[in-house]
Amino acid sequence: MEKNLVVVYESEVGTPFVVKPVGNQVLLLSPGMELTRLDVREQNWNNPVGMRPLEGESRFCYLGMTGEEVSGETMFAFLIKLFDADCYDKSNYKILLDTFTLWGISCPYEPLNVRILLYKREKDSLTKYHFMGHNFNDYMCGSSVNMAILLGETLQLIAMTGLFPEINIEVRQGDLESYEYGGVETMLSEMLEDYKSISLNFIKKEVE
């Protein structure tokens, strides 16, 4: 793989691509996927928060360059996006590691500190639950328990990659009710009990 090519990932599902200029066009390259030509327009790239892709349109986030070490925070945000996508085959995380090896992408093998904020939003008489952190914000979940399961499965996969020797995570209550937050705490603790590289610290909101 050539060095100094741009690596991006699709902003909704996290699929990584190498961006390669060829003549007067730009190609998206990813092992095992059909070669794709990118229509280079402003709306194809990561736009300000709140700007959603049109139906059938992709936007991309910058990950790094081929042959480059990216920060642990950048790698974690990418993995959160990739692993919590419904279309990701969760048995194939090793293929991702092979892809990174092919592209020469790595991150520092050192402990990582992460803050995850839980929150909920009301829309059309429905409550949707979310988790967010530095450079990531998940899909909507219909209950706090489903959100906890999604987050737990995602963190399990991140631990299984072996990219980080230790991940210290603060899980903040945000605007969840105490009973909702308690359910999340119980679920995550049970799901990650056997994953020794992950340490959870649950931070309850201050009561005035």
Side-chain angles (χ1 to χ4, degrees):
M1 174 61 65
E2 300 174 47
K3 287 190 176 182
N4 301 321
L5 295 176
V6 175
V7 179
V8 299
Y9 58 95
E10 207 282 331
S11 62
E12 291 297 301
V13 298
T15 305
F17 295 93
V18 165
V19 179
K20 181 178 176 62
V22 178
N24 62 352
Q25 62 183 352
V26 176
L27 302 181
L28 293 177
L29 312 175
S30 191
M33 297 186 68
E34 184 176 335
L35 192 65
T36 305
R37 186 180 69 174
L38 175 63
D39 182 9
V40 184
R41 295 177 294 171
E42 182 180 354
Q43 63 264 37
N44 289 118
W45 301 93
N46 198 31
N47 283 324
V49 174
M51 297 286 289
R52 303 289 294 177
L54 300 175
E55 184 177 353
E57 178 184 272
S58 289
R59 291 181 182 155
F60 300 92
C61 302
Y62 175 76
L63 180 65
M65 307 291 288
T66 53
E68 179 183 59
E69 183 178 77
V70 302
S71 72
E73 291 81 6
T74 297
M75 181 65 76
F76 185 86
F78 160 67
L79 293 176
I80 281 277
K81 177 60 66 177
L82 177 66
F83 289 159
D84 80 358
D86 291 338
C87 62
Y88 183 77
D89 184 345
K90 299 190 184 303
S91 64
N92 288 339
Y93 74 91
K94 293 182 180 179
I95 296 176
L96 174 67
L97 299 180
D98 292 339
T99 299
F100 281 161
T101 299
L102 175 65
W103 291 348
I105 289 181
S106 62
C107 66
Y109 187 70
E110 59 188 22
L112 183 65
N113 298 315
V114 178
R115 288 184 178 180
I116 295 179
L117 173 69
L118 311 181
Y119 68 99
K120 59 183 178 180
R121 292 291 182 267
E122 302 283 344
K123 186 175 181 180
D124 299 328
S125 300
L126 297 175
T127 303
K128 297 295 184 180
Y129 296 82
H130 308 253
F131 58 84
M132 67 178 296
H134 181 64
N135 286 334
F136 65 87
N137 196 342
D138 83 308
Y139 296 104
M140 298 180 293
C141 296
S143 73
S144 57
V145 172
N146 288 342
M147 177 188 63
I149 293 172
L150 175 64
L151 177 57
E153 291 177 343
T154 302
L155 293 174
Q156 288 174 349
L157 279 167
I158 292 176
M160 290 166 65
T161 66
L163 293 172
F164 309 102
E166 181 180 319
I167 308 174
N168 303 305
I169 302 176
E170 285 188 1
V171 183
R172 295 182 171 268
Q173 181 175 353
D175 57 3
L176 267 63
E177 301 295 336
S178 295
Y179 74 91
E180 295 171 322
Y181 185 65
V184 171
E185 180 177 355
T186 298
M187 180 63 69
L188 286 178
S189 298
E190 291 177 355
M191 293 184 69
L192 297 171
E193 181 179 8
D194 295 330
Y195 293 82
K196 304 305 181 185
S197 63
I198 294 182
S199 173
L200 298 173
N201 183 21
F202 293 92
I203 308 296
K204 296 182 179 180
K205 64 182 177 183
E206 297 181 3
V207 178
E208 298 181 356

